[in-house]
Amino acid sequence: SSSRSRSRSPAKKTPAAPAAVVNPQQQALLLQQQQILAQQWIQQQMQAAVSAAPPTNKKQRELYVGNITVGLVTPQMLQELFNGALAPLVPDGATNPPCCNVSMDGSLKFAFAEFRTEEMATMGLHLDKVELCGRNINVGRPGGYIDPNTPGYQPGKPVQPGMMITTGGSNAYLGAMNPLMAPQAPATNCLYLANLASCTDLLDETERADIAEEVKDECNKRGAVLGVAIPTPPADALEKKEPGRVYVKFVEQAGAIAAQRALNGRTFGGNKVQAAFVPESDFEQAQAGFWIPPPPTPEPVEGVLKMRGLPFTATKQDIVLFFTGNGVKEECVHIVYGRDGRPTGEAYCVFEGPESDIRGALSKHRQILGTRYVELFPTTKAEMDHHLRARQQWRFSFPRLWKLLAEAMMGLLNSKAEGIRRG
């Protein structure tokens, strides 16, 4: 039958549809969407891990944030503020940020920021009185916080161990970062302060006690201080006119790190102070009255730094003040301008001369200048000159071109108006 013949005849193969031609832009868009989805998945997993962590020491890892501008400040903004300022304290701030969560009250007037370790929370206290959206926020300990010096206190384990500072150890967080950002000596919980006072001032016992009290008050702003040791200078030190020596021991290594960054290069009584990390044995010997050799002075390091994320209102004087003690001069600061002649938030700083210290300047990576944290990147003079030259060409060529076009248009309008009047 005709039906059998049709069924037995080989089926005709329909031609395959031609493969769709994928646009390269579509491929790039799809890849970007996949990356965004992957990042969102990673963040969700991190949040789930944080929420699943035992809240035994949550109050120790929390900070209270008050005086918030209602309607402007969001939890994400606060989290970015803490993570931006404390990012140098972790090897990988992108995947393991210091601040893991911010919960804001329903009134939007205060919030609680949760950190991954107690050390991170202690470092977050240094953002107290930072201006955010027109107000100076208040950062402090929450209710229920227990002082670590309380007898019988046992610090809790961090949310993600192995990523943060080890209190009292000889290795610092800076070892996992750019080597230029690390100080010459490994960070400890003891600091050596040189040139804070002259040896003559340290001969009097009352003067030594007053200096020790002032140093303790200043260092307590960065972290709890266990003690200050100021040995009496010997006769040969007086003959050589050596600078006075002061040793400070902190409870936590994080406090010593914050104090070193804040005090190194600062001027007290007309003297430029040098702050360096020393082993705990140096503090003990100084406390016993020994005048021991000081740590080696780091050699000045020259170079160029690129700054990114500057406030648009930042001036050269503000940048020089930001790098106080690092040897940068106002004429060595080059602010980058855009095509419209306005600041782009970028600048280049040249560190040169015997007082230059680009290593110390790099330790200020992601510190606050004005209301924003600034990112620092080592670069070269060739790259700086090329960038500034191109920006200068944009800055001067475009306004001049617009001026010529405006003059030509005005000429045409004037000629047409003159022709109308004559007609």
Side-chain angles (χ1 to χ4, degrees):
S1 62
S2 59
S3 60
R4 289 182 182 175
S5 61
R6 283 197 299 267
S7 62
R8 290 176 181 175
S9 60
K12 295 181 180 180
K13 296 182 179 179
T14 57
V21 180
V22 181
N23 192 346
Q25 294 182 355
Q26 294 179 349
Q27 287 183 341
L29 183 60
L30 289 173
L31 180 60
Q32 184 179 4
Q33 292 176 350
Q34 291 175 357
Q35 291 177 350
I36 293 174
L37 291 175
Q39 292 176 359
Q40 291 177 352
W41 181 83
I42 293 174
Q43 292 177 358
Q44 292 175 359
Q45 296 298 318
M46 291 174 59
Q47 292 293 338
V50 172
S51 59
T56 53
N57 67 330
K58 185 177 180 181
K59 288 296 180 182
Q60 304 300 110
R61 295 185 286 105
E62 273 190 340
L63 288 181
Y64 165 82
V65 184
N67 199 31
I68 295 174
T69 306
V70 179
L72 293 180
V73 178
T74 62
Q76 183 181 5
M77 189 182 299
L78 287 173
Q79 192 170 3
E80 289 179 355
L81 174 66
F82 284 110
N83 287 334
L86 304 180
L89 302 183
V90 294
D92 189 358
T95 57
N96 294 280
C99 181
C100 55
N101 186 37
V102 173
S103 57
M104 188 170 288
D105 181 68
S107 63
L108 305 180
K109 295 181 180 180
F110 63 91
F112 292 93
E114 182 182 355
F115 296 82
R116 298 195 179 278
T117 65
E118 298 178 30
E119 290 84 359
M120 292 294 101
T122 301
M123 296 299 294
L125 290 172
H126 301 307
L127 293 181
D128 185 35
K129 305 305 179 185
V130 168
E131 184 179 352
L132 183 63
C133 294
R135 285 190 178 184
N136 295 328
I137 60 175
N138 298 327
V139 181
R141 299 291 189 182
Y145 171 78
I146 303 175
D147 191 342
N149 296 325
T150 303
Y153 171 76
Q154 295 182 357
K157 295 181 180 180
V159 174
Q160 292 189 1
M163 299 297 294
M164 306 298 161
I165 301 173
T166 54
T167 306
S170 59
N171 297 325
Y173 65 91
L174 292 170
M177 302 171 62
N178 189 323
L180 280 177
M181 298 181 66
Q184 292 292 328
T188 63
N189 62 332
C190 295
L191 278 186
Y192 163 77
L193 304 177
N195 208 27
L196 190 66
S198 64
C199 285
T200 306
D201 296 334
L202 301 182
L203 289 176
D204 183 69
E205 185 176 353
T206 305
E207 187 71 17
R208 288 203 312 275
D210 293 340
I211 294 175
E213 189 66 26
E214 292 178 4
V215 170
K216 186 175 181 179
D217 292 341
E218 182 67 24
C219 290
N220 268 324
K221 299 176 182 178
R222 273 78 194 178
V225 176
L226 279 178
V228 178
I230 306 179
T232 305
D236 58 343
L238 293 171
E239 294 177 0
K240 297 177 182 178
K241 297 182 178 180
E242 295 182 5
R245 302 175 185 177
V246 179
Y247 298 82
V248 186
K249 184 177 180 180
F250 291 81
V251 175
E252 298 177 339
Q253 185 183 3
I257 293 171
Q260 194 274 338
R261 296 172 65 181
L263 301 179
N264 188 43
R266 284 184 57 178
T267 302
F268 288 92
N271 300 322
K272 184 178 178 180
V273 178
Q274 296 177 356
F277 297 104
V278 292
E280 193 171 343
S281 57
D282 286 12
F283 174 83
E284 294 174 353
Q285 293 185 58
Q287 196 174 33
F290 293 99
W291 188 265
I292 59 177
T297 304
E299 295 292 332
V301 182
E302 299 183 352
V304 181
L305 283 185
K306 179 180 180 180
M307 307 182 69
R308 191 172 67 186
L310 287 168
F312 297 126
T313 57
T315 63
K316 290 187 177 183
Q317 294 84 353
D318 296 332
I319 296 175
V320 171
L321 184 63
F322 179 75
F323 286 119
T324 299
N326 302 124
V328 67
K329 302 177 182 177
E330 190 172 332
E331 58 268 21
C332 297
V333 177
H334 306 279
I335 298 177
V336 181
Y337 296 89
R339 299 184 180 185
D340 55 358
R342 298 179 181 180
T344 62
E346 296 182 352
Y348 289 90
C349 298
V350 181
F351 295 80
E352 55 187 7
E355 295 184 357
S356 65
D357 182 16
I358 192 174
R359 192 188 303 273
L362 268 171
S363 66
K364 299 179 180 179
H365 178 64
R366 288 183 175 268
Q367 285 193 12
I368 301 294
L369 194 159
T371 57
R372 304 181 63 181
Y373 64 86
V374 181
E375 296 178 311
L376 305 176
F377 306 94
T379 185
T380 61
K381 285 188 176 181
E383 194 271 344
M384 178 190 71
D385 294 339
H386 175 75
H387 194 185
L388 292 176
R389 194 182 304 114
R391 291 290 184 178
Q392 289 293 331
Q393 290 175 357
W394 293 341
R395 188 182 178 188
F396 293 111
S397 62
F398 276 83
R400 184 178 179 184
L401 177 60
W402 281 112
K403 183 178 180 181
L404 293 175
L405 290 174
E407 291 176 353
M409 291 296 295
M410 288 300 296
L412 288 174
L413 293 174
N414 291 333
S415 62
K416 286 184 178 181
E418 186 67 24
I420 292 173
R421 283 195 297 269
R422 290 180 180 179

